Amino acid sequence: MNKRLAELLLAWEDDTLSAVEADELSELLEKDPAARAAAVEHFSLSCAIGEQLQESLHDESVVRELQRMTKVTRSASEGPSASRPRARVGVLITAAVLLIVGFVGYHFDVHKLILDRFGGQAVVNIEDLRPQVTGTFGDVHRVEKDGSTDEASENTTLDLGDSLRTSKNSYATLMYPDGTKIELRGDTEIKIESNRSGKHLTLWQGGLFAAVAAQPQGAPLVVNPNQYDRVEVIGTRFEFVRAEAASVVRVESGKVVFGSTAELVEISQHQESTASSDQRPTMPQPIEPETIWRGWGHGLRGDYFNSAQFGGKHFTRIDPRVDFHWGKESPDPTFNNSFSVRWTGEIEVPHSGEYTFWTVAHYGVRVRVNGEMLINSWASMGAEEDGRPIQLEKGRRYPIKLEYWDRHGDAKMRLLWSSPSMPKSVVDQQWLHPETKSAGTR
Amino acid sequence: MADDESLSRLFLQHRHMLLSYIHALVRDSNDAEDIFQEVGVRVMKKEQTPADSREFGAWCRGIARNLVMHHWRSKQRSKVVANERLLDVLELAFQEAEPAAELSKQRSIALAECLRLLPDHSRDVINMRYFEGLTSVAIAERLERSSEAVRKMLSRVRAQLEKCIEKRLELGGVGDE
């Protein structure tokens, strides 16, 4: 907008416009249609800002007041009193609209009216903003507002202000009443922000996968509000990882808006973008869908043992796929050079038919699907092994169990599959489901 | 012209531009909303009705302007008020703008988000001006700055908001899914 025009309009709103300036403003507006359009935009923005601020600061009281008023019949002649506290402005004007609408027998419900009144800004019921823990694996803790910590178990409901923390190799699932599901990786901490206009979360560190149900107009789910790596979604599936160096968002389906105010990017299906505190979000880049972590409901449970005979000290985690090349290293720095891993869970197939499983393992490997031993090569030594073909049906889940061990040398383990209509590839997480019951139940 | 239901719908459709117009005239949100409410009551009473629904906005503004005049007389305010020339050209501006300028849901959603994203010091100034209704002079006193500095700041933050809103609308679809 013309700078002088903006100054004059602000002065007019401020009531500091002199008579000379008033003439100057009139003249500017009279001779230039663009100036008139700009002036209307100016007043429109002033008005809209005022409304938004009143609403955001008082939406709760407005809702209460509205609900109360819908039960009370008021006569048309009853005007508002001339003086009243600011805070009730929004309430009273809403009452006026209600009154008018009520007058003419127009059917409405309170919720719709609130949406109308606030130009689409929804006011969300607090119960809809409190997620429930519906699954945990390993060590998961809830940290309450006052700092007290307790173990989170299934059916723990989180309050606004609470945090949830997963230890290394531990996982948790949160579910909102609308079906929005958030899965946390290990070493992750998330806070449920005390914001009433939608689901707001802060991911302090770690990673999550979110499957977001369609959110109400004007109340998107927001992760990391007011941060450089802010994420906003209406209804979509995405992964978000926050590390010290940078944050990454990968979208499985739908769209996500990522970044701070001035530097937003929109990430679509099968794209990713990276941002850090000193670097704006990168332009979304295409990615292979397999690289998206889809939550701990996918993959296989891996029990890792510090010996070649499935005994001794061990840890458990969920691996999205079995595709490792440890080389001279081992899966854990505390392990000696011998170790073994047992992966368990279930497998599904994309279509019914005959499947062949393949492994590349050093040192030895066994594969069982649906109880059948398909590969048994206790000294495979890194060669590619193919198993006996097996008939599998789409829509069923079959138990799968892999056993692998290494003593020394070039440790590696991959699980692949093929079928007449599918080239050989690593079995991806989307077809795998981990055994998540506690150890020793198999 | 219209029956009661379409009349009330029409009124709601014009809500934002009408309120903006009243704001532009009285420059006080409490007063503006009082007057807006009164316009609503008169519209529904159908004391007069425009023959053509396209004139609905102008009709409402006419009612509003009369009420604003009355309001000024009754309040005997010290405000710069009776500049007929300015009021006329403002009326013209709003006449030209409608109905294209009616605040869309998307725009209002975008504004809400953009306000939230403002840095604290910017939001404080915006709050003082548009929520508390303080003038630039009063804000300047509170912040111990000059009123020119405050107006510059307001101008800058408003430009930021406009840019943010445009950016979000450009990205599109955010509010539509």
Side-chain angles (χ1 to χ4, degrees):
Chain A
M1 197 195 313
N2 178 316
K3 210 173 157 198
R4 182 61 185 155
L5 177 63
E7 277 172 24
L8 290 170
L9 289 172
L10 279 172
W12 164 248
E13 284 186 317
D14 236 7
D15 211 14
T16 51
L17 199 68
S18 68
V20 177
E21 285 172 325
D23 281 339
E24 187 188 348
L25 177 57
S26 301
E27 200 179 328
L28 257 176
L29 295 174
E30 278 162 1
K31 69 173 193 227
D32 183 4
R36 293 197 288 275
V40 171
E41 275 175 34
H42 178 100
F43 293 123
S44 165
L45 182 63
S46 302
C47 175
I49 293 173
E51 284 197 282
Q52 288 292 350
L53 293 177
Q54 279 160 21
E55 169 216 341
S56 63
L57 291 170
H58 297 286
D59 50 3
E60 283 171 47
S61 64
V62 169
V63 171
R64 269 201 307 277
E65 192 76 359
L66 247 180
Q67 283 166 344
R68 191 181 64 75
M69 279 188 302
T70 50
K71 294 177 189 138
V72 181
T73 317
R74 293 174 54 144
S75 77
S77 58
E78 202 181 314
S81 61
S83 65
R84 57 178 189 274
R86 272 268 165 187
R88 298 193 56 220
V89 171
V91 173
L92 285 164
I93 192 63
T94 308
V97 176
L98 245 177
L99 194 71
I100 293 156
V101 173
F103 239 10
V104 296
Y106 181 73
H107 289 284
F108 62 90
D109 57 45
V110 171
H111 191 67
K112 181 170 167 293
L113 195 71
I114 293 170
L115 286 177
D116 260 354
R117 159 67 181 128
F118 297 132
Q121 262 294 312
V123 178
V124 181
N125 188 335
I126 185 165
E127 288 310 315
D128 296 333
L129 299 177
R130 300 172 70 211
Q132 194 181 40
V133 178
T134 56
T136 62
F137 187 93
D139 290 331
V140 180
H141 287 90
R142 169 176 62 171
V143 184
E144 290 182 55
K145 267 172 287 190
D146 59 9
S148 63
T149 301
D150 59 355
E151 203 172 316
S153 57
E154 288 182 22
N155 303 327
T156 300
T157 298
L158 298 183
D159 265 323
L160 303 192
D162 285 356
S163 297
L164 198 69
R165 207 184 272 163
T166 59
S167 305
K168 192 180 174 196
N169 299 330
S170 299
Y171 310 86
T173 301
L174 292 176
M175 184 84 88
Y176 283 95
D178 69 355
T180 293
K181 189 160 91 170
I182 298 192
E183 302 198 48
L184 307 186
R185 294 180 163 197
D187 258 336
T188 293
E189 180 167 358
I190 193 167
K191 183 181 176 200
I192 312 301
E193 293 292 342
S194 309
N195 182 301
R196 307 293 292 270
S197 61
K199 302 178 180 72
H200 284 214
L201 309 166
T202 295
L203 178 66
W204 295 114
Q205 59 159 359
L208 61 81
F209 178 79
V212 182
Q215 298 299 293
Q217 275 277 5
L221 180 143
V222 177
V223 189
N224 294 354
N226 302 321
Q227 306 271 337
Y228 62 89
D229 56 354
R230 182 176 179 283
V231 177
E232 171 183 316
V233 293
I234 301 291
T236 197
R237 295 163 64 86
F238 70 100
E239 180 193 4
F240 185 25
V241 180
R242 194 183 214 205
E244 232 166 83
S247 298
V248 183
V249 172
R250 300 186 182 95
V251 176
E252 187 198 307
S253 66
K255 280 176 187 167
V256 161
V257 174
F258 183 44
S260 64
T261 332
E263 293 153 2
L264 298 169
V265 295
E266 188 178 75
I267 313 172
S268 302
Q269 185 171 20
H270 299 163
Q271 290 184 336
E272 72 171 27
S273 171
T274 305
S276 64
S277 52
D278 53 5
Q279 177 214 320
R280 58 180 61 191
T282 54
M283 285 310 290
Q285 297 294 318
I287 48 164
E288 294 299 324
E290 299 86 71
T291 55
I292 303 169
W293 181 68
R294 287 156 200 255
W296 58 286
H298 287 282
L300 292 175
R301 171 201 179 105
D303 287 292
Y304 288 73
F305 300 90
N306 184 19
S307 80
Q309 293 84 34
F310 302 99
K313 181 174 177 279
H314 87 287
F315 69 87
T316 302
R317 70 182 186 200
I318 292 165
D319 291 317
R321 60 186 76 72
V322 179
D323 183 10
F324 296 104
H325 189 169
W326 290 287
K328 300 270 180 213
E329 307 291 310
S330 67
D332 189 286
T334 65
F335 279 15
N336 307 324
N337 59 358
S338 305
F339 68 96
S340 51
V341 187
R342 185 188 291 125
W343 283 281
T344 49
E346 292 176 320
I347 187 164
E348 293 182 87
V349 295
H351 49 259
S352 300
E354 198 177 74
Y355 285 80
T356 305
F357 287 87
W358 308 71
T359 57
V360 178
H362 188 283
Y363 204 85
V365 63
R366 273 186 193 141
V367 175
R368 280 193 190 85
V369 174
N370 202 22
E372 283 185 50
M373 181 81 83
L374 301 179
I375 296 174
N376 184 2
S377 182
W378 215 227
S380 180
M381 305 298 287
E384 187 172 82
E385 309 265 359
D386 59 327
R388 205 154 42 79
I390 183 172
Q391 195 73 27
L392 299 172
E393 274 174 46
K394 185 183 173 178
R396 277 188 62 185
R397 287 188 182 191
Y398 299 92
I400 182 168
K401 182 173 174 182
L402 315 177
E403 288 170 297
Y404 162 82
W405 67 287
D406 188 67
R407 177 164 291 145
H408 52 76
D410 190 25
K412 63 172 107 172
M413 169 66 191
R414 305 179 80 192
L415 177 71
L416 306 98
W417 63 353
S418 66
S419 80
S421 60
M422 187 177 76
K424 201 194 304 177
S425 58
V426 171
V427 182
D428 185 54
Q429 56 185 324
Q430 73 179 111
W431 310 110
L432 300 171
H433 304 281
E435 166 70 67
T436 53
K437 293 196 195 83
S438 56
T441 54
R442 278 176 309 280
Chain B
M1 57 163 241
D3 58 44
D4 286 347
E5 187 178 324
S6 48
L7 197 59
S8 66
R9 207 171 284 146
L10 208 53
F11 184 69
L12 287 175
Q13 274 167 19
H14 284 76
R15 195 186 68 80
H16 174 75
M17 285 311 274
L18 182 58
L19 197 51
S20 299
Y21 174 75
I22 300 170
H23 261 271
L25 264 49
V26 300
R27 295 155 285 145
D28 177 292
S29 53
N30 272 348
D31 293 346
E33 298 199 6
D34 279 352
I35 291 166
F36 171 77
Q37 183 174 353
E38 187 59 30
V39 174
V41 170
R42 299 213 173 176
V43 166
M44 295 321 294
K45 276 191 196 160
K46 291 189 285 186
E47 280 169 355
Q48 322 116 307
T49 323
D52 188 336
S53 70
R54 280 170 299 180
E55 288 168 14
F56 186 78
W59 178 54
C60 290
R61 283 195 301 276
I63 298 175
R65 190 163 161 179
N66 284 337
L67 288 169
V68 168
M69 291 306 195
H70 178 74
H71 165 81
W72 278 335
R73 274 195 299 275
S74 67
K75 275 201 150 181
Q76 295 180 323
R77 300 186 57 145
S78 58
K79 277 199 176 187
V80 183
V81 287
N83 192 322
E84 285 288 329
R85 189 180 167 195
L86 188 50
L87 296 191
D88 285 345
V89 76
L90 285 178
E91 164 60 28
L92 173 66
F94 276 86
Q95 182 81 49
E96 288 169 343
E98 73 172 351
E102 187 60 30
L103 187 76
S104 71
K105 274 197 170 150
Q106 274 77 8
R107 188 168 284 272
S108 148
I109 291 165
L111 170 62
E113 274 307 318
C114 293
L115 280 170
R116 251 173 251 156
L117 290 167
L118 285 178
D120 288 345
H121 62 277
S122 301
R123 200 166 30 211
D124 285 348
V125 175
I126 289 282
N127 260 326
M128 284 187 249
R129 180 68 188 88
Y130 296 102
F131 181 69
E132 293 185 55
L134 299 180
T135 63
S136 304
V137 177
I139 297 170
E141 274 169 24
R142 204 186 275 188
L143 296 180
E144 296 177 357
R145 305 274 295 269
S146 72
S147 57
E148 282 81 61
V150 169
R151 234 176 274 151
K152 263 197 193 117
M153 204 157 156
L154 275 171
S155 188
R156 189 175 49 75
V157 179
R158 288 176 60 111
Q160 254 175 26
L161 283 172
E162 271 163 12
K163 201 174 148 203
C164 170
I165 292 169
E166 291 316 316
K167 177 91 185 169
R168 296 179 80 86
L169 292 177
E170 228 171 79
L171 287 175
V174 176
D176 290 338
E177 275 174 57

